[in-house]
Amino acid sequence: MELVLRHAVFLLRGAYYTLNITVVSMTLGFALGLVIAMMRLYGPGWVRGLARGYVSFMRGTPLLVKVFVVYFGLPDIGIRLGPLVSAYTALTLDAAAYLSETFRGSILAVPRGQVDAALSLRMNRRQTMTRIVLPQAFRVAVPPMGNTFIGMLKQTSLVSVITVTELVRSAQLLIAQYFVVMPFYIAVALMYWVMSTLFQIGLDRVEARLARAY
Amino acid sequence: MPAPTDPAPGTRQPVVCVEGLRKSFGDLLVLDSVDLDVAPHESIAIIGPSGSGKSTLLRCIGGLEQPDAGKITIDEFGLDASLPAREVRAAVRSLRGRCGMVFQSFNLFPHKTAIENIMEAPRVVLGDERDALVARAEALLDRVGLADKRDEYPSRLSGGQQQRVAIARSLAMNPRVMLFDEPTSALDPELIGEVQSVIRDLVSDGLTALIVTHEMRFAAELAREVVFMDAGRVVERASPETFFSDPETDRAQRFLRRIGDGSSLRSPADAPRPAGGTPR
């Protein structure tokens, strides 16, 4: 136990990387997911097909394989990304696929009459989307987004295999040094739990705030 | 708050002029060569069986549907469906500002308060200044009798109150003509009166309005003219007195018989109403 405490700073650094990768990938995945949802909802036929293919492929392949492809595979075609950037890339591509489906569903859940009303008030397509449809869609999207978010927090452990010293790899390094397993993994598990709980609380706040009008 | 339509006394140049309007959805021909003129300050009730194209006509005039053929002119501004597609689409968009639409299901923005609903479009579309806008929105709310509901979200308002806010929201864009698409059809019977009386006040202040309604009595009291549509055509147009007592066409006679004793106007069968249910 005192081993864990002695190396708390090291473990916390690992936790910092876990958080960092989660937040960066989630933010980028959010943006990309929104773009893909728009492509799939409003694009011309081939754009829709492209978006559908993307979602199908990304959801149908394991994250670990994507991590390997980005980190070990891309150098073959001359694209060399560092471990951290590879982690961002693989996780962003993955999250975007799931989030785009969440967004698509939530946008479709906004009644057609809302668009009619906005258009009849002379708002253009963009204003209608950003000021009327998306705020309402976002409210519906928060709970499933929370799932993706917390899922991603835990999925980041996979990037330990490409030498990103996030939480799990921090623990593995310490274990290799001391040949003591249990305390480190227990500590890591608890740290994940605390982080997910904090996210959950944050998401609940967002949800409550958005529900004020309803 | 001035009436949204210019007085322009003496001129009877129509505000809205529809010629040969045709619209289909797939194989279904919904509007089959519709002609319609609306003079300034005129209020026209559009009635007819369901599926006769009333709502589609309104949505075409309001720029929410693109007609397949025909012309729509509002003031000197025109849409001609025979022009290239690009120009037609642009014309459809610019119809939108000229008409205010009121929908059967209100369609207030649920994430905005009553006053925010009214201020939204003038602010983002016209770029109106906030202070002036607040005053104008408050005046509009007052006009529909809801000054005290200024900061309520739509979920806290009754259907009738929501529809009145929706009317104020449309008026905020200073439309040349207001298009009411069955404004009271989704309301509980006891809430219909408050909405009808707001519309009646606006009309008597000189609003130019097209009103699709199933409330025959409302149509009779309110409108200067009644337009009867059936199967995508305007079948008959007459003053309410003439239309309800002595309709010219067979189809109108059948329609009035079917919905109840149309000539007496006392008991429209499709809309049972408590007696005197429309207080002024």
Side-chain angles (χ1 to χ4, degrees), chain A residues 1-8 11 180 182-184 186-187 190:
Chain A
M1 191 62 213
E2 66 278 8
L3 270 183
V4 170
L5 290 176
R6 188 164 352 131
H7 294 286
L11 286 173
V180 177
M182 203 55 168
F184 287 119
I186 297 280
L190 289 176

Side-chain angles (χ1 to χ4, degrees), chain B residues 4-6 11-21 34-44 46 54 56-63 67 70-79 94-101 175-180 206-211 225 227 234 237:
Chain B
T5 39
D6 288 327
T11 62
R12 293 295 286 174
Q13 185 73 23
V15 179
V16 181
C17 179
V18 175
E19 294 165 80
L21 196 67
V34 169
D35 300 301
L36 184 68
D37 282 348
V38 187
H41 313 302
E42 193 172 35
S43 50
I44 295 183
I46 303 177
K54 312 179 294 283
T56 305
L57 173 61
L58 237 55
R59 290 175 62 88
C60 283
I61 297 173
K71 288 184 191 167
I72 299 172
T73 316
I74 297 183
D75 294 326
E76 58 287 351
F77 173 84
L79 175 156
S94 50
L95 280 177
R96 286 174 191 155
R98 287 153 218 272
C99 305
M101 284 212 73
R176 292 286 287 135
V177 52
M178 283 286 278
L179 309 173
F180 296 90
L207 182 80
T208 309
L210 278 170
I211 304 150
E225 303 239 353
V227 164
V234 171
R237 175 173 179 163

Side-chain angles (χ1 to χ4, degrees), chain A residues 31-43:
Chain A
L32 183 59
L34 197 54
V35 170
I36 292 167
M38 292 292 170
M39 285 168 61
R40 183 133 179 219
L41 283 171
Y42 306 111

Side-chain angles (χ1 to χ4, degrees), chain A residues 112-125 127 131-133 135-136 212-214, chain B residues 59 64 96-97 99 101 103 107-112 120-121 124-126 153 155 169-170 173:
Chain A
R112 168 74 215 177
Q114 291 289 309
V115 175
D116 282 349
L119 292 180
S120 82
L121 291 165
R122 232 166 98 191
M123 293 169 78
N124 60 32
R125 289 264 160 208
Q127 291 162 339
R131 304 190 59 93
I132 305 303
V133 175
Q136 295 180 56
R212 251 185 348 189
Y214 294 84
Chain B
R59 290 175 62 88
L64 291 179
R96 286 174 191 155
C99 305
M101 284 212 73
F103 303 90
N107 299 348
L108 285 185
F109 306 134
H111 58 305
K112 295 182 181 295
E120 178 70 10
V124 304
V125 177
L126 309 175
Y153 283 100
S155 60
R169 178 177 69 172
S170 291
M173 292 298 281

